[in-house]
């Protein structure tokens, strides 16, 4: 098995191929993007940012890294790896793009789980520079890129498989970068995901907006699997880390956050849906 960084990068300004020159990536129109000392490349131009520092903050990334590295979401990682490995051909190098890769937990574990028959070319893309920085510090085998799912910095039809795990899917972009017959593995929260935590921080829970088994335009649903398990958070620190890595940190009011901070321990339900789609 070999793991190599994905190289079919596209200029985020004009879509032209990028080529590595010295310590930067450049396109034929003269646009140049420096490689950071930690090895990642920033392909999110300032004119395409909606805020000064989009995505997760440094503190949120650190909380997610602590939480995931303790293995609380390991069953999700196993399920993702199984779904990916089932889809991998063994006769060539397979390119995989993690769209919204965070600090790289799932992509790193995938790279460590494949057997000797597979050769992978990997890229992790996240809009948070802090997430990409944390990922790059942990694994240099992957091409880590600051970028947006709305404008993925990959050439058309250059990717075999896209991961979108608790992320923001942009199906038109996924379809553009995927080769014909390429697959999308997507993980989303189910109706009861973190219900016990949500019951603490919100006055009442809104009815679930559960998605059905519909396929997005340009894709065919291959299969859908529900995954449900319980997690015991033994102290305030783990509860705070879980809350900090979710959108609930910003959605809850001050009273709800105060209630969460007062908890000494908490058992929560993890409820997710894993779907595999094929590009038509």
């Amino acid at each position: 098995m070999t793991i190599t960084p994905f190289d079919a990068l596209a200029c985020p300004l004009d879509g032209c191929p990028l080529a590595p020159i010295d310590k930067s990536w450049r396109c034929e129109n003269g646009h140049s993007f420096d490689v950071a000392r930690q090895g990642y490349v920033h392909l999110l131009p300032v004119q395409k940012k909606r805020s000064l520092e989009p995505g997760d903050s440094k503190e949120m990334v650190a909380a997610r890294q602590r939480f995931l590295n303790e293995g609380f979401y390991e069953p999700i990682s196993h399920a993702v790896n199984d779904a990916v490995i089932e889809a991998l051909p063994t006769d060539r190098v397979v390119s995989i793009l993690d769209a919204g890769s965070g600090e790289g937990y799932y992509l790193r574990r995938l790279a460590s789980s494949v057997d000797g028959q597979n050769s992978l070319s990997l890229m992790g893309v996240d809009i948070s520079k802090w997430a990409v920085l944390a990922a790059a510090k942990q694994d240099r085998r992957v091409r880590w890129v600051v970028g947006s799912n709305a404008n993925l910095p990959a050439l058309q039809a250059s990717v075999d498989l896209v991961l979108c795990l608790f992320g923001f899917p942009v199906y038109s972009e996924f379809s553009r970068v995927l080769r014909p017959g390429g697959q999308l593995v997507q993980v989303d929260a189910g109706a009861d995901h973190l219900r016990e935590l949500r019951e603490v921080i919100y006055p009442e829970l809104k009815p679930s907006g559960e998605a059905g088994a519909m396929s997005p335009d340009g894709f065919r649903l291959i299969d859908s699997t529900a995954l449900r398990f319980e997690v015991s958070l033994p102290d305030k620190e783990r509860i705070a880390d879980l809350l900090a890595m979710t959108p609930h940190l910003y959605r809850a009011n001050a009273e709800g956050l105060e209630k969460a901070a007062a908890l000494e321990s908490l058992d929560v339900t993890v409820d997710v849906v894993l779907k595999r789609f094929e590009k038509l």
Side-chain angles (χ1 to χ4, degrees), residues 32-106:
S32 182
F33 305 90
D34 292 337
V35 177
R37 175 174 52 85
Q38 297 84 0
Y40 70 90
V41 59
H42 200 298
L43 296 180
L44 182 64
V46 64
Q47 58 266 45
K48 296 193 176 183
K49 291 183 179 181
R50 294 186 177 180
S51 61
L52 185 61
E53 289 194 356
D56 291 346
S57 67
K58 186 176 183 179
E59 292 73 23
M60 290 178 71
V61 170
R64 178 177 289 107
Q65 188 168 339
R66 288 191 299 266
F67 186 88
L68 293 176
N69 285 348
E70 289 207 37
F72 292 115
Y73 276 12
E74 199 168 282
I76 301 175
S77 170
H78 288 315
V80 170
N81 292 348
D82 289 345
V84 170
I85 291 170
E86 183 177 339
L88 291 180
T90 58
D91 58 344
R92 58 183 173 82
V93 177
V94 178
S95 55
I96 299 176
L97 188 160
D98 188 350
S101 53
E103 50 74 58
Y105 172 78
Y106 294 102

Side-chain angles (χ1 to χ4, degrees), residues 15 39 57 149 204 273 275:
S57 67
N149 285 6
E204 60 179 325
V273 179
K275 296 179 182 179

